Amino acid sequence: MPLRLIASLAAALCASASVAGDWQYYGGDQGGRHYSTAAQINRDNVSQLDVAWVHRSGDQQHLAEWMGNTSAQSTPLLLPPRAGESLVYCTPFNRIIALDPATGAERWSHDPGVKLAGERPFRCRGVAYYEETRVADGAACRHRLYSNTHDRRLLAVDARNGEPCAGFGENGVLALHGNDQPADMISTSSAPLVAAGVVVTGSTVVDFHYSRAPRGTVQAFDSLTGELRWRFDPLQGQAQSGGANVWAPMSVDEKLGLVYLPTSAPSPDYYGVNRPGDNNYANSVVALALETGELRWHFQHVRHDLWDYDTPAQPILFEWTRNGKAIPALAQPTKQGFVFVLDRSTGESLWEITEQPVPPSQIPGESSAPTQPKPIAPPPLLDSFLMPAQAWGLTFWDRGDCARQLDELDNLGLFTPLSEKLTLMLPGSLGGANWGGGAILGDSGVLVLNVNTAPFTGRLIPASANPGERDKRDHPASGERMRVPMQGTPYDVEVGAMVSPLGIPCSPPPWGKLVAVDLERGVILWEQALGSVHELGPFPLPFHINWGTPNLGGGIATAGGLFFIGATMDRQIRAFDTHSGDMLWKYTLPVDATATPMTYTYKGRQYVVINAGGHAMFGRAHGDYLYAFALESP
């Protein structure tokens, strides 16, 4: 093993030990467990939780005309004392801000001046911290923050003051592969992954619109200099496609020397005639050697994707116990509502995988996969069957309309390919699970995560039909139908929520929920509706109706027996009992909080922090808030 790698591993272990229980990584730790050992705030006192401080980034004031095209998704980090002990996060416009953890007062900020262009939403899920041991202790940029930008740059700044790290790239800035693409074609939203002297970064590419979207090439660079170390193209040898990019956060096991990539769908999402075969390594968890980028194993959870079932969330690394033996494991939530539990050393499933026969495509030339993998456990997190007799509504009239819609659909269950006839999509492209992922409760093997359950419908429309209606880009999560051309194919695609004339989903509630899953026993422990619809009707109601809402963003668990989450379309942050699923506390924010929260303890006081800024997909109000909550008397 190279001496540089040994030194980097040692530094990482020391760093982890010194800040145990705090939030130094996007997912809480390098394996994305979203768990904290902090227990000052617990089941018995969480009802007393109140606002400790509020920080506003200034985006609402200075960039108001762009706020409607933002998604506030950043999860802050707490830097260790030797790195300044600031709370750091990024705004949707990639400004990095460092705050006093006790008061929220700004200490410094770094503005990379991103190009305000393109139609892709501006967003930044977080930054990455790393102690570069090849720099002398006390020297500039010994402690670094790395951040991806909307306009495809990788930044390295000094974690203590925000100044660029001059020896990295060109004065702290590295242009990423694909930077010559238009701004609405490719960007980056998730934080880079940094470990053992290597910075790994993925990308976000445009969905739906093109037969050949930008390639989803993953890149790794030297953390000191920015020198390219390796590249990995998930669609090796498939020249007629694109995508399969890694837009969700990645995980790393430094002991095994493996980085885990959650790859997305190949392009175009709903038409695969030009990309025959299974399309490896799309829709997969891919394990690469961190040092070299060499492929070690992969597990594909969707073959020849025709449903936009990206791998949507950070792979979660934990210890799985069987017959008293601990196995290094990986849990991967998926949009289709499964959780695959794998041996993270080998990629082998720790539960038996069955081959589920699925309907064939009705599109000429399309060779859809005859079967799809399905784990025998845990059970699916949502029911993908919805028959006319199950139609739901507030009245006999709208229930009857939903039953009629269902009766007219192509509806053969999960993995029914889209055709020219309107087809049920349950789950739709929002999931199931999405990028927020879930939280492992300590060493228990219990996973708590949020899922979407509302039905969608979609169809393929010959491209020559009604050209004036093409390129309607309202996102289906906002309640509108979306129609976009898939350039380079014979079809446009139209997708939207399946709702009654009253605008209510045609399936029984909840339309968003929390699920607790015992990954070792393979059973669901409890479910709880997530979200109230009181703000989603034609006029707001003065009371909550907990039927669940579409949700984006994840949650965190603590040793205090709590699960904190925003994510919903009702401006709430909530705390749930991890044992029972009971809601114990909630707070109404100015706007929706579609970011994953975090928690930390500073000077003896535990804080819970969440970014509240709204989401472009929801079509609701936007803001620039960071809220911190704490007990009045710890």
Side-chain angles (χ1 to χ4, degrees):
M1 182 179 293
L3 291 177
R4 182 176 60 191
L5 178 57
I6 294 173
S8 298
L9 286 172
L13 290 172
C14 291
S16 297
S18 67
V19 294
D22 281 323
W23 215 269
Q24 192 173 313
Y25 301 93
Y26 164 81
D29 58 31
Q30 290 178 310
R33 290 194 307 151
H34 287 195
Y35 179 77
S36 170
T37 58
Q40 184 181 97
I41 303 168
N42 55 55
R43 296 184 186 92
D44 297 329
N45 61 23
V46 68
S47 62
Q48 303 168 38
L49 204 60
D50 204 353
V51 176
W53 51 260
V54 179
H55 167 78
R56 300 197 67 176
S57 71
D59 285 352
Q60 185 72 56
Q61 178 181 359
H62 300 295
L63 295 165
E65 69 272 26
W66 295 94
M67 290 298 290
N69 198 31
T70 62
S71 297
Q73 300 177 347
S74 181
T75 299
L77 308 181
L78 180 67
L79 302 183
R82 61 187 180 279
E85 210 167 13
S86 294
L87 190 72
V88 293
Y89 80 108
C90 54
T91 75
F93 302 101
N94 301 116
R95 190 157 60 97
I96 304 171
I97 301 176
L99 307 176
D100 183 313
T103 65
E106 185 172 313
R107 289 177 169 172
W108 58 259
S109 68
H110 175 84
D111 187 351
V114 296
K115 298 174 183 177
L116 299 178
E119 297 186 20
R120 297 191 62 75
F122 295 89
R123 52 193 164 197
C124 179
R125 295 198 176 99
V127 299
Y129 164 71
Y130 186 68
E131 183 174 359
E132 180 52 75
T133 57
R134 290 172 285 175
V135 173
D137 197 10
C141 284
R142 163 87 177 199
H143 301 275
R144 300 177 174 219
L145 295 172
Y146 297 88
S147 181
N148 293 314
T149 68
H150 178 83
D151 51 7
R152 292 290 286 161
R153 291 175 287 157
L154 177 61
L155 312 177
V157 303
D158 193 317
R160 302 181 70 90
N161 55 30
E163 293 297 318
C165 294
F168 182 89
E170 186 175 341
N171 195 32
V173 180
L174 193 65
L176 297 173
H177 176 68
N179 199 48
D180 55 343
Q181 297 282 357
D184 58 351
M185 288 280 285
I186 183 168
S187 61
T188 312
S189 52
S190 290
L193 180 147
V194 193
V198 181
V199 186
V200 187
T201 184
S203 62
T204 301
V205 305
V206 65
D207 276 336
F208 312 146
H209 292 74
Y210 302 96
S211 175
R212 296 176 64 180
R215 309 287 289 193
T217 303
V218 176
Q219 301 172 92
F221 305 93
D222 187 288
S223 62
L224 177 65
T225 66
E227 179 185 356
L228 180 68
R229 297 283 288 274
W230 51 260
R231 284 177 176 162
F232 176 77
D233 181 357
L235 289 174
Q236 300 171 26
Q238 300 176 56
Q240 298 306 310
S241 187
N245 50 300
V246 176
W247 58 261
M250 296 169 279
S251 297
V252 66
D253 184 328
E254 289 198 68
K255 183 177 179 181
L256 293 175
L258 296 179
V259 58
Y260 302 95
L261 313 180
T263 63
S264 69
S267 67
D269 300 78
Y270 299 106
Y271 180 85
V273 172
N274 298 334
R275 48 175 174 87
D278 289 346
N279 306 142
N280 285 341
Y281 301 95
N283 305 92
S284 299
V285 181
V286 180
L288 304 180
L290 177 61
E291 275 282 287
T292 65
E294 178 186 359
L295 177 68
R296 293 294 174 83
W297 59 258
H298 87 286
F299 178 86
Q300 188 174 42
H301 60 86
V302 181
R303 303 185 186 107
H304 194 78
D305 185 9
L306 298 172
W307 307 271
D308 192 27
Y309 284 163
D310 300 338
T311 314
Q314 184 176 22
I316 305 167
L317 311 188
F318 72 108
E319 299 303 302
W320 196 79
T321 303
R322 172 182 283 173
N323 300 325
K325 179 182 178 182
I327 300 172
L330 179 153
Q332 183 60 66
T334 70
K335 283 188 178 182
Q336 58 267 37
F338 299 147
V339 180
F340 290 93
V341 185
L342 311 175
D343 183 323
R344 68 175 182 264
S345 301
T346 65
E348 296 178 4
S349 178
L350 295 174
W351 289 103
E352 181 184 345
I353 300 292
T354 61
E355 289 296 329
Q356 176 182 345
V358 295
S361 174
Q362 301 175 44
I363 297 299
E366 185 70 82
S367 297
S368 53
T371 64
Q372 295 288 352
K374 180 180 180 181
I376 64 167
L381 305 182
L382 71 159
D383 187 354
S384 58
F385 287 93
L386 183 62
M387 299 294 120
Q390 299 170 284
W392 193 87
L394 289 176
T395 67
F396 176 81
W397 169 67
D398 66 314
R399 186 165 59 249
D401 185 86
C402 283
R404 175 194 59 78
Q405 290 185 58
L406 281 164
D407 189 54
E408 295 174 354
L409 291 177
D410 247 357
N411 180 10
L412 298 175
L414 185 64
F415 296 117
T416 303
L418 295 193
S419 68
E420 293 186 31
K421 181 180 179 182
L422 206 60
T423 304
L424 180 67
M425 305 169 71
L426 183 60
S429 63
L430 287 181
N434 209 288
W435 62 266
I440 294 283
L441 307 185
D443 299 321
S444 67
V446 173
L447 174 69
V448 180
L449 75 165
N450 51 307
V451 295
N452 291 285
T453 60
F456 286 71
T457 60
R459 60 177 174 168
L460 301 181
I461 303 173
S464 59
N466 299 318
E469 292 294 317
R470 301 185 72 183
D471 212 17
K472 179 177 174 55
R473 299 189 182 212
D474 299 296
H475 197 278
S478 68
E480 301 292 333
R481 298 195 70 78
M482 175 182 71
R483 178 176 174 181
V484 294
M486 295 189 291
Q487 294 180 18
T489 81
Y491 292 98
D492 296 354
V493 62
E494 180 192 85
V495 177
M498 185 183 184
V499 296
S500 75
L502 297 178
I504 299 171
C506 283
S507 62
W511 301 310
K513 63 181 180 178
L514 285 183
V515 186
V517 188
D518 190 321
L519 301 177
E520 295 178 355
R521 294 166 53 205
V523 297
I524 291 177
L525 301 178
W526 53 259
E527 297 185 0
Q528 177 68 268
L530 178 63
S532 168
V533 299
H534 67 283
E535 291 190 347
L536 299 184
F539 52 87
L541 299 174
F543 51 86
H544 286 210
I545 304 175
N546 293 316
W547 288 346
T549 74
N551 51 88
L552 287 167
I556 63 168
T558 73
L562 299 171
F563 182 83
F564 290 95
I565 189 169
T568 52
M569 298 178 71
D570 60 7
R571 298 186 293 129
Q572 305 294 304
I573 178 175
R574 296 175 168 89
F576 295 85
D577 187 318
T578 55
H579 287 174
S580 65
D582 294 337
M583 187 177 67
L584 303 179
W585 171 82
K586 66 177 184 290
Y587 181 88
T588 303
L589 297 158
V591 293
D592 297 330
T594 55
T596 301
M598 55 84 74
T599 187
Y600 61 93
T601 301
Y602 183 72
K603 295 185 177 180
R605 193 181 192 193
Q606 184 186 354
Y607 298 81
V608 175
V609 176
I610 194 164
N611 188 347
H615 199 292
M617 286 187 181
F618 283 173
R620 287 164 51 83
H622 288 74
D624 58 2
Y625 302 89
L626 196 70
Y627 265 74
F629 301 89
L631 299 173
E632 183 66 31
S633 301

